[in-house]
Amino acid sequence: MRLFLAIAILLVTAIAITLLYHQTQQADINYYEGHRYFEKGEYEEAMKFCEKTLAINPSHEGALIDLAYSCQWTGDFKRAIETFKQVLSINPEDYKIMMALAETLAWNKEYEKSIAVCEKIINSTGGIKAQILLGQVCIWSKQFDSAKEVLEEVLRKEPDNSQAKLLYAKALHYSGEAKKSIEIYKELLKEKKKDNGK
């Protein structure tokens, strides 16, 4: 009888611990399930699990990040912007998230806000990627002189940066400097042929 009682107590304790663990870890369980979908590019499914996680723990950083990128990549830019801002309220020095926010703002045609975020990153880190994005946003917003200035600075630091060269050529082209633009395009074509071994 004692053996039966001991086994019953152990069994009840194990079940109680499992249920308690499952209940307290529900946010993480949902997050990891959603993250698997996120990594497979199944963003709609990932978003469902992120939302479940955030209903339990509204400041779960991993779920916020996955949700923000899922919204960005499915074209829900407004929601992505708000979610990236939530992440930055938790971790204000996350420059990767700032870059994603700047990109999403630009895709949503909020160019001045995107430029402000890029400038904040550049002032804090001097990051080349942020400078290139700033140049691109300036082109999209038809601020061609600003784009040229930013991209010239990038090319002074990294003269072989093909992305910066291409954007610089576009800025020149759109601002009426077609000859200079054509020369850069020709140079980029030569580099591409050389890289391809032709």
Side-chain angles (χ1 to χ4, degrees):
M1 186 70 174
R2 283 183 170 174
L3 181 60
F4 176 75
L5 187 60
I7 291 172
I9 290 171
L10 281 173
L11 191 59
V12 168
T13 304
I15 291 169
I17 289 170
T18 301
L19 289 173
L20 181 65
Y21 175 81
H22 186 73
Q23 185 64 29
T24 57
Q25 299 301 312
Q26 198 62 42
D28 284 337
I29 290 167
N30 281 309
Y31 166 67
Y32 289 118
E33 185 65 26
H35 191 67
R36 278 195 281 277
Y37 283 110
F38 179 80
E39 288 181 328
K40 291 190 282 184
E42 296 177 29
Y43 302 119
E44 298 291 341
E45 284 300 311
M47 288 163 73
K48 291 175 190 173
F49 285 97
C50 289
E51 287 162 356
K52 288 179 183 178
T53 299
L54 294 168
I56 299 165
N57 178 1
S59 61
H60 192 290
E61 195 171 353
L64 284 168
I65 290 169
D66 283 3
L67 179 61
Y69 280 113
S70 294
C71 290
Q72 182 193 53
W73 293 333
T74 56
D76 189 351
F77 299 142
K78 287 187 179 185
R79 189 169 182 205
I81 289 164
E82 290 311 310
T83 311
F84 282 130
K85 286 179 180 177
Q86 279 182 268
V87 175
L88 289 169
S89 72
I90 296 166
N91 187 358
E93 302 299 313
D94 190 331
Y95 295 106
K96 183 179 177 186
I97 295 298
M98 277 190 208
M99 281 288 290
L101 174 61
E103 287 172 341
T104 312
L105 286 163
W107 295 344
N108 202 44
K109 298 183 176 14
E110 296 181 51
Y111 300 124
E112 292 308 315
K113 289 180 182 178
S114 177
I115 288 169
V117 175
C118 288
E119 287 173 344
K120 183 176 180 182
I121 298 167
I122 294 163
N123 291 336
S124 298
T125 68
I128 294 288
K129 286 182 180 179
Q131 287 180 293
I132 290 172
L133 178 59
L134 176 58
Q136 188 169 40
V137 175
C138 287
I139 291 170
W140 290 346
S141 61
K142 300 181 180 177
Q143 300 177 45
F144 304 123
D145 288 338
S146 296
K148 287 190 294 185
E149 189 178 310
V150 169
L151 294 164
E152 283 167 0
E153 186 179 335
V154 172
L155 291 169
R156 276 193 293 275
K157 294 175 188 173
E158 292 187 6
D160 296 327
N161 189 309
S162 58
Q163 187 182 8
K165 281 184 189 177
L166 179 61
L167 288 170
Y168 185 57
K170 286 181 181 181
L172 288 168
H173 177 82
Y174 293 135
S175 63
E177 298 179 65
K179 284 185 181 179
K180 284 185 184 178
S181 176
I182 289 166
E183 289 307 312
I184 295 170
Y185 285 132
K186 284 180 181 177
E187 185 183 325
L188 286 167
L189 282 171
K190 283 180 190 173
E191 288 172 11
K192 185 166 178 151
K193 286 179 181 177
K194 186 179 174 185
D195 289 344
N196 291 337
K198 292 180 181 177

